[in-house]
Amino acid sequence: MRVGVFYHPDFAERGYITLRHRIKPAYEALRRQDYANKLLFFEPSVSPLHQELLQEIHTDRHIEAVKAEGYHEVALLSAAGVVSAAEMLAAQQLDRAFCFVGAGGHHAGRNYSWGFCYYNDVAMAVLRLNQLGVKRILILDMDPHSGDGTRDLVALDPNIVHINFYADENYSYQDNKLNNYGILLENATDKDFLQALEDNLPKAENVEFVIVIFGHDSHCEDYGDFYLTIDGYREFTHRMKTFCGTRPLLYVLSGGSNPQIAALAIPAVIESLL
Ligand SMILES: [Zn+2]
């Protein structure tokens, strides 16, 4: 298996304040693992193509607002890594990939963002995949906060299946669109979550490409309202691999701030991808 890891030191240095302290401990823990020499490491860079994708997905007004906040460069660099990983998977240069990021993406809609998110990295990658002829895509979001920005951007595309597990009961999820499924799981344990996964994956049998939005704020010792464990992440990833078979599988990092958990969770997920 060719597993790519996309990482840039700027994610740790210049990433969103709440998210950046976990990046370096997780990356360094990963590099120390015996299996690290089996991984292919890539350092993303921003190209004119990424600028074009950004302008297709977000309004000029939103981009200006992100620039004013000081997170434009690191958010675009994060998205560039996700787009590059998607391209390499589509070209069968990789089988699976994991992208570190310096800012979140799933709360970023066309003209807004909130909750540590600025640019919708996954929506940019989906647009790029569409340009490359890859249309039927599953976006499975297991960050316990609802992926409202992603939903708003992909909801009208009949080829996208968006399965969104979330914990916030106050969030009114309108899943009356095409293939958008909001799955409310309150205080979910590994067992609850894995059962919900089994129940919902059949909705996406026909996809040709799978993107997982992975937030370790779903861990019982991180800030979200799921109560998952490292073993749960391993089992989840094994099930995603089984579901995908030979189809490309792309993990994109999302929420999570606990450096100790990140240093366990991220290497565990990447090892499971091998
Ligand atoms: Zn989250």
Side-chain angles (χ1 to χ4, degrees), residues 106-107 116 143-146 215 217-218 223-224 254-256:
H106 74 158
H107 297 311
F116 322 155
D143 181 301
H145 305 94
S146 185
D217 49 346
S218 56
Y223 62 77
S254 185

Side-chain angles (χ1 to χ4, degrees), residues 62-239:
H62 179 61
I63 295 167
E64 289 309 313
V66 175
K67 285 180 177 171
E69 248 193 273
Y71 286 111
H72 169 77
E73 280 80 10
V74 76
L76 184 55
L77 186 61
S78 301
V82 179
V83 169
S84 298
E87 286 174 327
M88 291 189 73
L89 288 160
Q92 299 183 328
Q93 293 164 327
L94 291 173
D95 301 299
R96 298 170 191 142
F98 184 97
C99 293
F100 283 85
V101 294
H106 74 158
H107 297 311
R110 184 158 170 72
N111 193 36
Y112 67 87
S113 64
W114 65 285
F116 322 155
C117 297
Y118 291 98
Y119 296 144
N120 200 305
D121 42 14
V122 165
M124 287 170 62
V126 164
L127 177 58
R128 182 62 185 142
L129 286 168
N130 286 173
Q131 292 171 353
L132 296 170
V134 180
K135 306 280 188 190
R136 286 175 285 118
I137 300 166
L138 165 62
I139 302 170
L140 189 142
D141 187 341
M142 55 72 75
D143 181 301
H145 305 94
S146 185
D148 52 346
T150 309
R151 180 207 57 199
D152 288 348
L153 286 165
V154 305
L156 298 177
D157 184 340
N159 291 309
I160 306 288
V161 180
H162 182 213
I163 298 176
N164 186 169
F165 298 108
Y166 68 107
D168 181 1
E169 61 183 326
N170 296 318
Y171 187 85
S172 65
Y173 197 95
Q174 297 173 6
D175 59 355
N176 56 348
K177 299 199 174 137
L178 293 170
N179 292 313
N180 284 256
Y181 304 98
I183 316 294
L184 175 62
L185 297 174
E186 291 175 89
N187 304 320
T189 62
D190 290 339
K191 187 164 171 283
D192 302 329
F193 171 67
L194 292 168
Q195 183 61 50
L197 183 73
E198 289 304 299
D199 293 345
N200 285 282
L201 271 180
K203 297 180 165 95
E205 277 312 337
N206 295 324
V207 301
E208 52 193 323
F209 196 106
V210 175
I211 301 174
V212 169
I213 296 176
F214 173 76
H216 58 83
D217 49 346
S218 56
H219 191 276
C220 55
E221 293 174 43
D222 217 314
Y223 62 77
D225 287 333
F226 286 172
Y227 293 87
L228 308 188
T229 69
I230 304 297
D231 283 344
Y233 295 153
R234 288 185 196 276
E235 180 59 26
F236 164 62
T237 302
H238 284 296
R239 292 193 192 189

